């Protein structure tokens, strides 16, 4: 029998439930499926009831009886109410099994017709509840679902806890939720955990990240929000999904969207959550908190300077009401939740807000903060205020805080008279460029589009068009219509034309896939910039040209790089992700100079972080991760790649490229399934954007993940596409994608050694011409596998030994380990003992966990099969490739195709394809014939 109760929250689409909760759901399902209990805890609105409902719906399918209760604060004083919700409809079905004293006490408690109390009938009631659960469990599994444990009436809570602690081996699971404060350090769930079954897992629901908040808002129909707005929603909601959705709803219902820098509208539904506690404060205390809410980093000292003489007592009272959090490590004042500050500010009148900002405009010690408060305290245009804000924006820019500079610039534009110099549009365009630097592409684009509706000067219009193009990122096809307008505005001005032609170089690459045309456009841009004295563009253009020449294997690449590095350098361009420093790093890493590449990229990363250049930071994080991955530091590479992916998700910059590289890092040192998912995401995004250059990189990452996953057929399918794309694009340098060895290895595995050798020969010719030593060593490793497939085991072993040694000397730790692994695999085809010890040691040194799992499987297979396949087989088997002999040997043991796939770490389809080749080569028709061949060999 199932008893169902209503939860307070309305039903929501299922896909909402797992946004940001994937790991929690996985752990919860494992706990519940194993017969354990679960206690979900977290602050109000974090999604506990939603999670509880979803898990209960899944777990109810395997339960014979489901008991539910959901307490409320208003009813928590009613004794035995929760117990009645749980047992009221089932007690009659088992009451005849209870001793008379227990039955009488329980009926009295549930019906309220008697005078049963814990004080008078405590033992009888406790035993009665336990007896009912035992009787129900005797019929089948029982699931108890209890929401909002904090509001359970004390009598019910005591009885439920008594029974929970004594469930023992009974098939009774508890799925409960309890509200706790926002500070995870306060273990408020401990008393509830002690009243739960001993095998209970406590799981805290944490706030959503900014990217997860954006996904939730989009899923619930709040689309079209700029990233800066999503950032404000995330900050104000504190990552609380309910609060975020309410803020999103308020924005959707608002007749006008807030301007950049304005506070979000806080709906009445959220204000009510905190205003009741604010009513317990005096009017003066509320003014003190309002000043604190208006400040960026409020302290008691700041409040004193702002004229709040009783700040200590007033903030202490607010903390006792739960409005402020007690700072344990800093003297600052922090609201218990950002929503409290937002609601307090939203509830204040315009005059009260201006008064708070006036006080802070003189009290704040930071000149940037003083200028911001002065602006917020001023209405209308004021040239002096605008000038101070402009100075503050410049100071923020110099401090490496471009996001702050953008906000100040917009405030400056708001207070700048139309006839002032610089004018309001000049200030807005500078704010747009600052927003780009800060990684706030949506905000930058919106500011620039707004400026284009008013500005008429060609220089201003081209400047705005450049922001629009840059904000599009890799999706340059989306702004393709901008280029004719930008060219028309540029006219014959060489400085403006240089800017547009530089962007046309990128368009040729990203939209048309034309490297030669991109190279030519960059050269024209450099010439125009030199004529106009535009040093930044004069340096950026040859940097782009050098990138194209490097990918094309053009002999002029070194000279172009030197031109891009020529003094005098512009400091900002020197550390830009498209500047000469980045080009030099790429040249170093492609040329196997890993130590110098690491030094270069580390210095670049440090500088862009100092300047607050978010897009460049993202690029250089990936670059450092790539350097560590090449060096065989897989754990470090994975940490850096995941950090870059978080930044990409938060900013919306380079998500496809970052997913692509993170896939490579996951395949090397993390989770293969995650690698496959990320690579496929990168492929889908690149195809959607029409970005052929990154499509080839994404397919290369997908092919590599498929190789580590053991799906050789899929590897060949993906990497053949890469080969075709790179031929079409004119990419000839094999050090760019380094997929060639993977393709050759996969071709060998599926029985295509001729094509594998063709890939190796074509790539080797290019690698020899360009001096790519590590690529040549990897090709030797792949060629050794071709030789082994042809039965040339001795030559294969010698070539693999040499390749491993070369890769080790070059510093390519992971590739060295892969060579050792391949060497051990080839030796399984020769008489004598086989050892994977060296490969295991090298993979462990690299922290290459997915590869270590492959080694474990290979070791288990070698141990299980005993003598090598070649030793078992008749002469006809000697002509089989190594993988074919391994598959045949396992068939001899009676293994199924699925078992063979698991033991050899390949797909079932690959096993089937391999067996088909074995049948063809041996002239047989079935698995039985393989066994017969082996039997004839054993019989002499």
């Amino acid at each position: 029998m199932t008893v169902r109760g209503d939860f307070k929250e309305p039903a929501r689409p299922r896909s909402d439930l797992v946004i940001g909760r994937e790991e929690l759901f996985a752990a919860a399902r494992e706990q519940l499926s194993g017969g354990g209990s679960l206690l979900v805890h977290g602050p109000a609105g974090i999604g506990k009831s939603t999670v509880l409902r979803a898990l209960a719906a899944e777990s109810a399918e395997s339960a014979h009886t489901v008991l539910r209760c959901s307490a409320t604060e208003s009813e928590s004083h009613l004794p035995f109410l929760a117990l009645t919700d749980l047992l009221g409809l089932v007690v009659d079905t088992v009451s005849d099994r209870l001793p008379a004293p227990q039955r009488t006490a329980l009926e009295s408690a549930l019906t309220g017709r008697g005078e049963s109390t814990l004080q008078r009938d405590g033992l009888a009631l406790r035993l009665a509840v336990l007896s009912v659960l035992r009787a129900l469990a005797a019929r089948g599994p029982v699931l108890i679902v209890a929401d909002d444990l904090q509001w359970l009436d004390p009598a019910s809570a005591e009885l439920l806890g008594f029974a929970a602690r004594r469930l023992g081996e009974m098939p009774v699971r508890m799925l409960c939720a309890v509200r706790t404060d926002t500070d995870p350090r306060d273990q408020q769930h401990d008393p509830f955990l002690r009243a739960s079954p001993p095998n209970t897992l406590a799981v805290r629901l944490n706030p959503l990240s900014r990217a997860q908040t954006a996904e939730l808002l989009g899923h619930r129909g709040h689309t079209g929000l700029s990233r800066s707005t999503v950032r404000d929603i995330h900050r104000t909601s504190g990552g609380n999904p309910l609060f975020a959705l309410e803020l999103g709803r308020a924005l959707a219902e608002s007749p006008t969207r807030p301007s950049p820098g304005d506070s979000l509208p806080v709906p009445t539904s959220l204000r009510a959550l905190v205003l009741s506690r604010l009513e317990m404060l005096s009017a003066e205390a509320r003014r003190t908190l309002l000043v604190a809410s208006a400040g960026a980093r409020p302290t008691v000292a700041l409040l004193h300077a702002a004229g709040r003489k009783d700040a200590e007592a007033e903030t202490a009272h607010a903390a006792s009401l739960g409005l402020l959090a007690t700072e344990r490590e800093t003297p600052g004042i922090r609201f218990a939740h950002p929503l409290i500050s937002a609601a307090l500010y939203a509830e204040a009148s315009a005059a009260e807000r201006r008064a708070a900002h006036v006080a802070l405009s003189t009290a704040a010690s930071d000149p940037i903060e003083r200028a911001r408060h002065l602006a917020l305290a001023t209405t209308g245009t004021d040239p002096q205020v605008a000038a101070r804000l402009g100075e503050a924006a410049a100071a923020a820019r110099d401090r490496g805080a471009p996001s702050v500079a953008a906000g100040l610039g917009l405030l400056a534009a708001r207070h700048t008279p139309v006839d002032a110099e610089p004018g309001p549009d000049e200030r807005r365009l500078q704010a747009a460029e600052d927003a780009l630097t800060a990684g706030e592409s949506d905000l930058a684009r919106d500011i620039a589009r707004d400026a284009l509706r008013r500005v008429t000067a060609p220089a201003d219009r081209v400047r705005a068009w450049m922001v629009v193009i840059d904000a599009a990122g890799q999706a340059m096809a989306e702004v393709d219509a901008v280029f004719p307008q930008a060219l028309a505005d540029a006219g014959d001005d060489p400085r403006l034309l240089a800017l547009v032609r530089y962007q046309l170089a990128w368009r040729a690459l990203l939209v048309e896939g034309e490297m030669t045309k991109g190279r030519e456009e960059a050269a024209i841009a450099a010439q125009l910039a030199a004529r106009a004295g535009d040093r930044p563009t004069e340096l950026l253009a040859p940097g782009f040209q050098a990138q194209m020449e490097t990918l094309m294997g053009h002999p002029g690449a070194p000279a172009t790089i030197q031109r891009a590095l020529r003094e005098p350098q512009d400091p900002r361009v020197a550390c830009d992700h498209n500047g000469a420093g980045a080009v030099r790093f790429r040249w170093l890493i492609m040329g196997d100079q890993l130590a110098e590449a690491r030094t270069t990229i580390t210095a670049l990363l440090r500088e862009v972080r100092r300047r607050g250049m978010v897009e460049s930071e993202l690029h250089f994080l990936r670059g450092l991760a790539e350097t560590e991955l090449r060096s065989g530091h897989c754990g470090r590479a994975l940490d850096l790649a995941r950090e870059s992916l978080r930044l990409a998700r938060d900013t919306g910059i380079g998500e496809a490229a970052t997913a692509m590289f993170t896939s490579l890092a996951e395949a090397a040192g993390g989770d293969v399934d995650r690698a496959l998912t990320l690579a496929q995401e990168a492929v889908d995004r690149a195809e959607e954007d029409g970005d052929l250059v990154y499509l080839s990189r994404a397919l290369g990452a997908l092919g590599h993940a498929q190789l580590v996953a053991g799906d050789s057929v899929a590897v060949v399918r993906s990497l053949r596409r890469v080969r075709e794309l790179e031929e079409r694009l004119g990419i000839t340098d094999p050090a760019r994608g380094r997929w060639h060895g993977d393709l050759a290895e996969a071709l060998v595995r599926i029985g295509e050694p001729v094509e594998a050798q063709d890939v190796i020969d074509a790539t080797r010719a290019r690698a020899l011409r360009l001096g790519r030593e590590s690529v040549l060593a990897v090709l030797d490793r792949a060629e050794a596998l071709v030789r082994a497939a042809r039965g040339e085991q001795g030559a294969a072993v010698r070539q693999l030994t040499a390749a491993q040694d070369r890769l080790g000397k070059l510093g390519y730790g992971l590739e060295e380990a892969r060579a050792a692994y391949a060497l051990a695999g080839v030796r399984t085809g020769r008489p004598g003992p086989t050892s994977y010890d060296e490969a295991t040691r090298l993979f462990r040194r690299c922290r290459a966990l997915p590869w270590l799992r492959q080694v474990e499987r290979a070791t288990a297979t070698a141990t299980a099969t005993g003598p090598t396949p070649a030793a078992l087989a008749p002469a006809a088997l000697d002509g089989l490739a190594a993988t074919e002999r391994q598959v045949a040997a396992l068939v001899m043991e009676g293994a199924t195709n699925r078992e063979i796939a698991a033991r050899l770490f390949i797909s079932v389809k690959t096993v089937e394809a391999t067996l088909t080749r074995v049948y063809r080569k041996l002239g047989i028709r079935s698995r039985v014939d393989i066994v017969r061949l082996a039997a004839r060999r054993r019989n002499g």
Side-chain angles (χ1 to χ4, degrees), residues 644-684:
S644 70
L645 187 60
R646 285 191 295 272
L647 183 58
R649 298 280 197 232
D650 279 350
T651 61
I653 298 173
E655 290 186 78
T658 311
M660 175 272 298
F661 186 78
T662 307
S663 170
L664 293 173
E666 291 283 357
D671 180 82
V672 179
D673 289 337
R674 176 72 170 150
L676 289 165
T677 300
L678 287 169
Q680 189 61 58
E681 175 192 334
V683 169
D684 294 343

Side-chain angles (χ1 to χ4, degrees), residues 573-588:
V573 172
C575 65
D576 187 272
H577 60 281
N578 291 317
V583 174
R584 181 172 180 271
F585 160 74
R586 180 57 48 194
W587 181 260
L588 289 168

Side-chain angles (χ1 to χ4, degrees), residues 2 16 74 88 140 159 267 308 378 413 449 487 489 550 562 564 567 575 604 616 655 671 689 723 750 878 899 929 933:
T2 299
D16 268 10
S74 62
L159 294 172
R308 310 312 302 169
T378 304
R449 289 282 190 187
L487 279 170
D489 285 329
T550 300
Q562 289 303 315
E567 297 294 340
C575 65
L604 287 169
S616 294
E655 290 186 78
D671 180 82
D689 292 343
R723 193 180 188 191
I750 67 170
D878 292 342
E899 290 169 340
D929 293 331
L933 283 172

